[in-house]
Amino acid sequence: MRRLSLLAGALALALAGLASAQAVFIDNARVHTAGPAGTLENGDVLITDGVITAVGRELAPPPGALRIDAKGQPLTPGLFAGLTALGLEEISAESSTVHNALGAPAPHVHPGETRWRPEFDVLPAFNPRSQVIGVNRLEGLTFTVLAPGALEQGSFVTGQGGAVRLDGRFDALVEGSRSLFIDLGNGAVAASGGSRAGQYMLLDQAIREARPAPSPMMMVSPGHGLLTPAGREAMSRYLRGGRVVFMVDRAADIRQVIRLGQQYGFQPVIAGGAEAWVVAEELAAARVPVLLDALVNLPGSFDQLGARIDNAAKLHAAGVTIAFTQSGDATHNARKIRQLAGVAAANGLPWEAALAGLTANPARIFGIEGRLGSIEVGKVADLVLWNGDPLEVTTTATQVFVGGRAVPMQSRQTLLRDRYLAPKGVLPRQYPAAGEGENGGP
């Protein structure tokens, strides 16, 4: 442990001038590109102005570049945190800090008539300075997809979200990633008259309202129908080839999602997919990707009776694009997502495919592969150096780079740890040390 601490300290000193350096040269790393180049032993990566400008072996650093000797450590792209409420949820038990769902009845036009609100969008509420972001970024997570939470009443169309980079900037949205979220799981049945068939009836009605009416006589009059005018406009955008993420586990429901996508013209994504392996061939043929929790191997509900621990391996073997997301406390424990990939790799999923499920694949699923997800020329330099296999839970990040800039390897948790482990001084330990900061930014 002391040797690792000394290495980390030496690296921190080497990076002290990184913020002002124009070029950064990472030398002698085991570069897991998560791209066509695969893994490069003794590989080098050149970063210029926050963008990867060269990847290869035995490259020469340009004059004036800050050189970092990785000493053979693994280097990966920054990791995907899954579907989360990072920056939207600070303290779960304090409702004033939770901003990812509509609470109480959604606004309605007529008393007692609840409206669906697909126009609800969590992205404007994102706070890049959240302490929760700082804690998870320290563990190599550099981007996430913000997903609206389940509504307390009325609708299983939960709203819109999208991908954000965890780089501390207020304009963190990654363009092209906006998605609509629909919960067709067992927990949403109550919002459709207690019937699974009712879900599909109401969803079909909402889609019909959002589509252009074939004649003026068939237009929905203001104040009537499931959707508000803004809701119809929002949903109609996704019916023109947009991305719709369905929270669903049952194989029968997954087949219905595939059918709906083909019928109405949107691009479905399955989130959950405990029984996705049952319909793997159909998912592959329709090119429908799956975000799954590789730890779901027992039936937590009647929707998950067919759950199995080699789900990811079977989907990958069938040609389905997979990525990982957590089904538990996905926000505060986002950093545990590496365990999902590691468990999948231990149960038949090739190692490179498991890493892709945390990097290249989620970027591809959400339409941001041109900027993130792999170590390739032209991509944003969100990178992580590790002190061991990144899919092992005992491995930690040595250094996280966001936009080519080294993130201080401290968070609120490490500051509190160090404060209370230090010998007692003149002031009580609850007083911060001189220069100690607890900012959520990088």
Side-chain angles (χ1 to χ4, degrees):
M1 287 297 294
R2 177 173 173 78
R3 181 174 177 271
L4 290 176
S5 298
L6 289 173
L7 285 172
L11 182 57
L13 289 174
L15 294 167
L18 185 57
S20 60
Q22 184 178 15
V24 179
F25 186 76
I26 302 175
D27 187 21
N28 190 29
R30 190 167 196 259
V31 183
H32 298 287
T33 67
T39 297
L40 303 177
E41 300 291 348
N42 302 315
D44 308 322
V45 177
L46 176 63
I47 303 167
T48 307
D49 295 329
V51 175
I52 298 169
T53 51
V55 181
R57 295 187 180 91
E58 299 183 2
L59 301 179
L66 175 64
R67 179 179 174 274
I68 300 169
D69 185 358
K71 301 183 185 301
Q73 290 183 335
L75 180 73
T76 69
L79 303 186
F80 174 57
L83 304 179
T84 73
L86 285 166
L88 299 171
E89 178 181 333
E90 198 72 18
I91 303 170
S92 301
E94 175 50 59
S95 60
S96 67
T97 70
V98 180
H99 306 289
N100 67 323
L102 282 173
H108 52 266
V109 177
H110 299 296
E113 185 179 357
T114 301
R115 294 280 190 225
W116 286 18
R117 306 308 295 262
E119 67 269 38
F120 175 65
D121 186 352
V122 298
L123 291 165
F126 175 66
N127 174 23
R129 294 172 57 82
S130 167
Q131 299 290 347
V132 184
I133 290 177
V135 169
N136 286 285
R137 185 176 50 221
L138 195 68
E139 311 254 357
L141 307 185
T142 61
F143 73 107
T144 187
V145 168
L146 300 179
L151 305 186
E152 293 183 12
Q153 300 185 38
S155 171
F156 48 83
V157 177
T158 57
Q160 302 173 73
V164 293
R165 292 179 59 218
L166 306 178
D167 59 358
R169 296 182 302 115
F170 289 101
D171 56 342
L173 172 68
V174 186
E175 293 298 333
S177 65
R178 284 184 178 273
S179 307
L180 180 67
F181 291 80
I182 298 177
D183 187 351
L184 290 181
N186 186 61
V189 171
S192 51
S195 166
R196 186 81 59 148
Q199 285 182 321
Y200 294 110
M201 176 193 73
L202 292 171
L203 182 58
D204 181 74
Q205 179 182 335
I207 291 173
R208 289 175 184 273
E209 289 182 19
R211 299 174 79 186
S215 71
M217 294 292 294
M218 299 184 68
M219 291 181 64
V220 179
S221 59
H224 296 82
L226 285 171
L227 306 177
T228 66
R232 289 195 287 272
E233 181 183 348
M235 183 169 274
S236 69
R237 291 196 297 269
Y238 292 96
L239 299 178
R240 299 192 295 268
R243 185 183 307 102
V244 183
V245 181
F246 287 86
M247 313 296 188
V248 62
D249 281 311
R250 285 200 323 176
D253 296 316
I254 293 171
R255 293 186 73 251
Q256 289 299 321
V257 168
I258 295 173
R259 179 188 65 80
L260 288 169
Q262 294 170 341
Q263 180 178 356
Y264 292 116
F266 54 77
Q267 300 175 18
V269 175
I270 303 300
E275 293 189 347
W277 63 273
V278 177
V279 290
E281 300 297 335
E282 294 173 66
L283 286 164
R287 297 184 179 181
V288 175
V290 178
L291 300 164
L292 58 87
D293 185 338
L295 297 181
V296 175
N297 66 325
L298 294 173
S301 72
F302 282 100
D303 285 8
Q304 300 175 338
L305 292 178
R308 53 189 295 166
I309 202 164
D310 59 352
N311 189 11
K314 285 186 168 293
L315 289 168
H316 174 75
V320 179
T321 299
I322 63 165
F324 298 103
T325 192
Q326 296 185 77
S327 55
D329 188 357
T331 297
H332 291 282
N333 291 310
R335 54 192 165 173
K336 293 183 179 179
I337 198 168
R338 288 191 297 125
Q339 184 178 4
L340 276 59
V343 167
N347 287 276
L349 184 67
W351 192 96
E352 294 286 353
L355 179 65
L358 293 175
T359 53
N361 286 355
R364 186 176 302 114
I365 290 170
F366 288 97
I368 56 177
E369 70 273 22
R371 296 191 62 196
L372 303 174
S374 61
I375 303 178
E376 297 180 78
V377 172
K379 300 287 183 77
V380 175
D382 290 352
L383 307 170
V384 189
L385 270 173
W386 305 90
N387 61 12
D389 184 339
L391 302 189
E392 291 285 351
V393 295
T394 54
T395 296
T396 58
T398 302
Q399 183 61 56
V400 178
F401 300 86
V402 177
R405 186 160 59 92
V407 173
M409 297 302 286
Q410 65 178 26
S411 68
R412 181 177 178 84
Q413 290 186 354
T414 63
L415 291 171
L416 288 171
R417 175 202 66 193
D418 295 342
R419 181 190 300 177
Y420 285 92
L421 281 177
K424 188 175 181 181
V426 177
L427 294 174
R429 287 192 177 94
Q430 61 264 34
Y431 285 83
E436 182 178 299
E438 297 182 358
N439 192 326

